[in-house]
Amino acid sequence: MPRAPIPTWCFALVVVRKGDQFLIVQENKHGQPWYLPAGRVEEGETFAAAAVRETLEEGGVPIRLTGVIRVEHAPLSIGARMRVVYLAEPADDTPPKSRPDDESLGARWVTLDELRGYHMRGEEVAELFAYVAGGGTVHPPDLIKGEGEPYRINR
């Protein structure tokens, strides 16, 4: 007898770094704190595509993914949650979003010191920024592959 599928919610989070500054977005939900560009992976979308889309929608900044900081899996009683935390850089000099819309109230570049002056959704953002600024391990952005892609040795 086949097993019932396990509902799994997938999210992409993005640490966007420009020199000593990081991109934060002000959410229009959760009490309107500041957070990373992040969101749910849509049906038929890859984690990487969701990361690029969410950053542009919420932060207004086009990006180039430069690495994977971490892949997280949280088994829950009602299913599971998966998150891929990417590292990215701006693709050009487009300024962060300054006008509110359905995706966010705006976005800003901040340093680690400046981050303390913002109401953040949890301590995770400061921890991630410090990890990246401190030279924490970052894996290649192509670490995550589509199922069925061939195995290749990169030299």
Side-chain angles (χ1 to χ4, degrees):
M1 178 177 286
R3 295 182 188 183
I6 299 169
T8 304
W9 294 270
C10 297
F11 298 89
L13 290 76
V14 189
V15 174
V16 186
R17 184 179 190 183
K18 180 175 78 168
D20 68 342
Q21 296 180 312
F22 296 90
L23 184 69
I24 57 173
V25 297
Q26 187 173 22
E27 299 181 312
N28 60 5
K29 56 187 174 189
H30 305 297
Q32 301 175 338
W34 293 81
Y35 195 59
L36 301 168
R40 190 179 293 196
V41 177
E42 295 178 357
E43 187 174 336
E45 186 177 45
T46 65
F47 279 98
V52 171
R53 176 184 53 77
E54 288 289 349
T55 304
L56 188 58
E57 288 176 354
E58 295 180 357
V61 176
I63 60 166
R64 181 175 25 263
L65 297 176
T66 59
V68 172
I69 297 170
R70 189 154 87 174
V71 177
E72 301 174 337
H73 177 253
L76 308 166
S77 62
I78 59 168
R81 182 170 83 161
M82 287 191 66
R83 300 187 334 164
V84 175
V85 184
Y86 284 96
L87 180 62
E89 62 188 15
D92 59 28
D93 292 331
T94 303
K97 180 196 289 188
S98 60
R99 292 188 181 157
D101 62 20
D102 291 342
E103 299 295 333
S104 71
L105 299 178
R108 292 200 179 122
W109 290 110
V110 297
T111 64
L112 278 172
D113 288 339
E114 293 168 338
L115 188 63
R116 293 186 196 116
Y118 290 84
H119 170 60
M120 303 302 295
R121 180 165 49 118
E123 297 175 15
E124 172 182 44
V125 176
E127 184 181 358
L128 267 168
F129 290 178
Y131 176 83
V132 169
T137 302
V138 177
H139 307 279
D142 65 351
L143 173 71
I144 299 174
K145 302 282 191 194
E147 187 173 339
E149 285 188 41
Y151 292 87
R152 293 197 171 103
I153 298 174
N154 294 329
R155 296 187 197 255

